[in-house]
Amino acid sequence: MRTLLWRWIGDARDASTAWSDRGLPLPDGAGRAECQVVDPVGLPMQASVTVLDHAGHSVTRGGTDAYGLFTAAVPSGDYQLAVICDGFEPRRVPVQVLAGLRSSAGVIRLDAATLPPAPAQGHWTIDPDHTAIRFVARHIGMADIHGRFNRFSGNLWIAERMRDSQVDVFIEADSIDTGVRTRDSHLRSRDFLDVAAHPYLTFSGGNFVHRGGSHWEVTGTLELHGVVRTVTLDTTYLGLGTGMTGEPRAACKAVTELHREDFTLSWQKMLTRGIAAIGTTIRIELDIQVVRAAQMDGPSAAW
């Protein structure tokens, strides 16, 4: 038994040495935590892995590679590898890391997560009291400027096949709000939105594509500043709920990125050293709640 033990330790040290010969050596007192993540049929998958210490604090995190492999150098000790991937049940697997050695948590198989129920077929309406349409723009190449549109409406029609559903959103351009009156006036002017000539921003989407788990892509046309372009919303479906008055609700988050020049929003002022006052891309962030159309006839609950 002792001979086998020393042989195992020698093999492990040889493996650690071989690793060091191929790359950077391990720091003193550190070892490697490793695993492979596979899907329910055993195929390698890309997932996020976080190494947690005994108190549950994150030590480091990263993603698996194309072969589902993850490795990280950490101080010796007891850890858990927390593995998550959209559409799959998360898992935590213990691993004991020894100094100078490679410690494997083995193959971690993720099971498919139970999908949240889809909204019922029919007409749903965006609830403006519980919906936010925000944007983020880069200012002078340093910081972000945050803003929102305060007035909008929209409708969602859920079809028998989800991919055939339709969404229409109407945003009042002059409701733009960044919290600074002079800046908002400039954004409403002909330099930017030109709200007198183009009072609305409209989005009409009819291509709902399921990308796995709660992840969807909704593709449609956005009309902004008199220009129409195809836009895809990277959407996370958050499921169904019940409101304060017992009304059924559904919710999602969505993001996309727009290029100002695509919509002829090309006003620009260059600062010293060639730095642009405003970035060329705008990030759009949506938090949306919808209710069945018949439920919106009365007043909305304050919360």
Side-chain angles (χ1 to χ4, degrees):
M1 177 65 70
R2 179 174 299 178
T3 301
L4 290 176
L5 176 61
W6 281 110
R7 180 179 298 171
W8 176 84
I9 293 175
D11 290 344
R13 286 175 175 168
D14 289 342
S16 177
T17 301
W19 180 278
S20 299
D21 290 342
R22 294 195 303 271
L24 295 175
L26 284 167
D28 290 341
R32 292 192 179 273
E34 301 179 339
C35 71
Q36 183 185 35
V37 182
V38 299
D39 66 13
V41 297
L43 295 177
M45 60 184 298
Q46 292 184 311
S48 175
V49 182
T50 302
V51 181
L52 304 173
D53 64 15
H54 68 281
H57 299 142
S58 173
V59 176
T60 187
R61 62 167 57 92
T64 60
D65 60 21
Y67 300 97
L69 300 174
F70 168 84
T71 182
V74 294
S76 61
D78 293 327
Y79 297 93
Q80 285 190 326
L81 303 185
V83 185
I84 59 173
C85 182
D86 187 36
F88 294 86
E89 295 289 347
R91 284 195 61 189
R92 289 192 181 189
V93 178
V95 60
Q96 184 182 40
V97 177
L98 302 176
L101 302 179
R102 300 171 67 174
S103 303
S104 174
V107 177
I108 301 175
R109 187 185 304 269
L110 297 186
D111 296 322
T114 302
L115 299 180
Q121 276 183 247
H123 183 194
W124 296 69
T125 302
I126 289 179
D127 178 3
D129 292 340
H130 298 93
T131 295
I133 299 178
R134 300 182 298 270
F135 60 88
V136 183
R138 179 68 65 173
H139 181 239
I140 63 173
M142 293 178 58
D144 289 335
I145 296 295
H146 296 255
R148 59 184 293 154
F149 290 94
N150 292 324
R151 296 191 303 275
F152 49 84
S153 62
N155 296 284
L156 172 66
W157 289 270
I158 300 298
E160 182 178 359
R161 297 186 306 175
M162 190 65 187
R163 66 174 179 265
D164 297 329
S165 300
Q166 175 73 29
V167 61
D168 295 308
V169 181
F170 306 89
I171 304 169
E172 297 184 32
D174 68 354
S175 72
I176 192 168
D177 182 1
T178 66
V180 179
R181 182 177 300 178
T182 55
R183 182 167 59 211
D184 293 343
S185 296
H186 191 197
L187 291 173
R188 297 185 184 105
S189 73
R190 294 180 63 182
D191 285 342
F192 287 97
L193 295 179
D194 193 5
V195 299
H198 309 290
Y200 293 99
L201 293 74
T202 62
F203 176 80
S204 180
N207 186 19
F208 288 59
V209 179
H210 188 212
R211 294 303 187 189
S214 58
H215 183 203
W216 291 75
E217 288 182 354
V218 180
T219 300
T221 57
L222 174 66
E223 182 174 357
L224 168 60
H225 198 234
V227 178
V228 178
R229 292 283 187 267
T230 298
V231 171
T232 297
L233 301 179
D234 185 358
T235 305
T236 302
Y237 176 54
L238 302 177
L240 298 174
T242 303
M244 297 286 288
T245 60
E247 76 281 7
R249 291 177 172 267
C252 70
K253 291 179 175 288
V255 297
T256 193
E257 190 173 84
L258 306 179
H259 294 269
R260 292 196 295 117
E261 290 82 356
D262 290 345
F263 297 91
T264 65
L265 298 173
S266 54
W267 181 92
Q268 188 59 277
K269 181 177 181 180
M270 302 303 292
L271 304 180
T272 57
R273 298 185 302 279
I275 298 174
I278 302 174
T280 59
T281 60
I282 308 294
R283 178 179 171 86
I284 308 297
E285 301 174 347
L286 310 173
D287 285 283
I288 300 174
Q289 284 194 37
V290 295
V291 298
R292 293 302 296 265
Q295 303 290 332
M296 288 299 290
D297 294 338
S300 174
W303 293 97

